[in-house]
């Protein structure tokens, strides 16, 4: 199915995106503006011509979202730490002081982490993270204040309209998204859009950390039906959809990929993130692979946007025995619940073998209904619970769902 993706942003960044090119079967439709406030009208006018929108940054994406103009899949290209690092290297080459600067839009934690990794001081760095409602005038005022009150030497901006207002007043540099960020976001957007057409809308990004190169990795990932790319830090990025990931992992209960990697490497860590945007999914994937590294020599973790984290370990000698109390600690770690909660759920399942409801879980665990729902959802996503029907029992309103628990 051919897809048309509208690229929304300032003209130079739209050209940068279209120069990278689109995945096979996808057409990029340039939608440039002179000022980010034009993004809303551009999106509304183009809705009949495109299947999805790619924004060149978080600012126009947020403006269009806040205005309720987006009614189809949309993502924005993120400006990551690697983008900032390249800008700092260029500033150093030009002889600028990179220990005293002001920067907008990026998260403070991301800026400081990048500087610490580069062994640069952080005590004279001023950051203005982006938030909805922040205007180019606010950003310009921030850079001017940092210069006048804190003697910053360089202004770094992610917003073109702000950059053009300050570039003649002080040494300034404008961040632009990397080719890698553009390409990975485009791939994720295309997969998300295609998935939404078949009822599976969430994008899944994976990060694989191996101690050495692996020529067989691409073959291991065929079942995921996605694409594989190299990350700047030597790790690997996998782009797929939630539906394909669920199929390949049997509803997040096992991951054959781990067995293949364990046979070839001394250590192997796999982290998948499932989110509504590529930026969210990648952040969750990076968190997941970090968690996997803390578990053992070979491990996988799936992280989701609703704070669900499922641990998956290799089969074989390390396989979980679902029956028997000796499996509870490993099973609890995989599901993302503590051992005591899982033991209590096993008790409840023994008394209600034909199925239980959210209210049953809340009463037995002495927790609120929303906590009980979260417990059941984690069990369901780990393949240990399945809805089997509803119980009315003479009550009015929506009948409660009955879950069959396999512990």
């Amino acid at each position: 199915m051919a897809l048309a993706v509208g690229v929304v942003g300032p003209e130079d960044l739209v050209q940068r995106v279209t120069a990278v090119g689109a995945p096979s079967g996808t057409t990029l439709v340039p939608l440039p503006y002179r000022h980010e406030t034009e993004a809303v009208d551009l999106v509304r006018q183009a809705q009949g011509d495109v299947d999805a929108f790619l924004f060149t940054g978080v600012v126009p994406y947020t403006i269009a979202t806040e205005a309720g103009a987006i009614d189809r899949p949309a993502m924005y290209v993120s400006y990551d730490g690697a983008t900032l690092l390249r800008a700092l290297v260029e500033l150093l080459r030009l002889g600028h002081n990179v220990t005293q600067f002001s920067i907008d839009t990026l998260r403070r934690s991301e800026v400081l982490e990048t500087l610490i990794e580069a062994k640069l001081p952080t005590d004279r760095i001023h950051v203005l993270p982006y938030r909805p409602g922040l205007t180019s005038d606010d950003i310009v005022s921030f850079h001017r204040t940092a210069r006048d009150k804190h003697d910053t030497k360089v202004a770094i901006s992610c917003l073109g309209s702000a950059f053009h207002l300050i570039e003649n007043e002080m040494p300034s540099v404008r961040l632009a998204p990397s080719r890698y960020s553009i390409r990975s976001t485009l791939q994720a957007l295309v997969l998300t859009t295609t998935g939404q057409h078949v009822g599976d809308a969430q994008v899944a990004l994976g990060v694989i950390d191996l101690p050495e190169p692996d020529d067989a990795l691409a073959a291991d990932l065929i079942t995921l039906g996605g694409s594989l790319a190299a990350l700047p830090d030597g790790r690997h990025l996998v782009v797929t959809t939630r539906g394909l990931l669920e199929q390949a992992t049997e509803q997040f209960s096992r991951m054959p990929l781990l067995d293949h990697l364990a046979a070839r490497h001394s250590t192997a860590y796999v982290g998948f993130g499932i989110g509504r945007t590529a930026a969210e999914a990648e952040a969750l994937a990076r968190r997941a692979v970090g968690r996997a590294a803390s578990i053992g020599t070979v491990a996988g973790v799936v992280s989701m946007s609703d704070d669900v984290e499922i641990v998956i370990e290799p089969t074989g000698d390390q396989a979980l025995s679902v029956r028997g109390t000796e499996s509870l600690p490993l099973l609890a770690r995989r599901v993302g619940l503590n051992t005591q909660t899982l033991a209590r759920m096993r008790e409840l399942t023994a008394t209600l073998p034909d199925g239980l409801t959210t209210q049953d879980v809340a009463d037995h665990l002495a927790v609120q209904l929303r906590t009980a729902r979260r417990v059941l959802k984690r069990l369901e996503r780990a393949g240990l619970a399945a809805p089997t029907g509803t119980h009315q029992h003479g009550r009015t309103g929506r009948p409660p769902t009955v879950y069959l628990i396999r512990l």
Side-chain angles (χ1 to χ4, degrees), residues 285-308:
R286 291 182 181 277
R287 185 181 77 182
V289 77
R291 169 81 192 282
S294 70
I295 292 171
T297 56
V298 179
V301 173
V302 179
S303 290
M304 304 181 193
S305 56
D306 49 359
D307 201 30
V308 171

Side-chain angles (χ1 to χ4, degrees), residues 44-265:
R44 287 174 173 159
Q45 293 167 8
Q47 283 176 346
D49 302 319
V50 301
D51 301 289
F53 290 103
L54 178 69
F55 294 83
T56 61
V58 65
V59 177
Y61 171 84
T62 304
I63 291 173
T65 301
E66 292 285 310
I70 301 176
D71 65 349
R72 59 205 60 214
M75 295 182 183
Y76 63 87
V77 182
S78 62
Y79 293 69
D80 54 17
T83 303
L84 171 59
L85 194 57
R86 283 193 295 272
L88 294 178
V89 171
E90 178 63 16
L91 287 169
L92 278 172
R93 189 182 68 81
L94 295 173
H96 291 291
N97 182 351
V98 297
T99 66
Q100 296 174 238
F101 65 82
S102 55
I103 181 169
D104 60 63
T105 305
L106 296 185
R107 296 189 305 273
R108 180 174 177 81
S109 59
E110 190 171 39
V111 172
L112 297 184
E113 182 179 339
T114 300
L115 295 175
I116 291 171
E117 288 182 357
K119 295 182 171 54
L120 292 172
T122 61
D123 55 323
R124 303 194 68 179
I125 306 302
H126 299 271
V127 185
L128 178 67
Y130 182 73
R131 63 180 185 275
L134 199 67
T135 67
S136 58
D137 288 339
D138 296 327
I139 291 174
V140 169
S141 177
F142 157 73
H143 287 295
R144 287 171 176 163
T145 300
R147 176 198 60 192
D148 296 340
K149 290 188 177 182
H150 305 289
D151 195 29
T152 54
K153 304 302 183 184
V154 180
I156 301 176
S157 182
C158 297
L159 189 62
S161 59
F163 169 75
H164 293 310
L165 288 172
I166 60 174
E167 62 176 331
N168 295 323
E169 300 180 22
M170 64 187 84
S172 306
V173 64
R174 179 183 172 200
L175 290 188
S178 66
R179 292 177 63 87
Y180 157 73
S181 294
I182 294 169
R183 188 178 296 109
S184 62
T185 307
L186 264 173
Q187 290 172 339
L189 179 58
V190 169
L191 283 171
T192 299
T193 306
T194 304
Q196 198 165 88
H197 284 222
V198 297
D200 181 16
Q202 283 188 304
V203 62
L205 295 185
V207 175
I208 301 175
D209 189 354
L210 301 174
E212 60 267 332
D214 189 337
D215 294 334
L217 182 58
D220 291 338
L221 296 169
I222 289 177
T223 55
L224 288 175
S227 59
L228 180 66
L231 289 169
D233 59 8
R235 296 188 291 188
H236 307 274
L237 176 74
V238 183
V239 183
T240 184
T241 63
R242 174 174 180 155
L244 290 171
L245 181 61
E246 286 186 344
Q247 292 175 21
T249 60
E250 298 179 16
Q251 301 295 315
F252 310 127
S253 62
R254 60 186 298 269
M255 191 180 291
L257 169 64
L258 287 176
D259 298 317
H260 300 159
L261 296 177
R264 300 196 297 266
H265 301 281

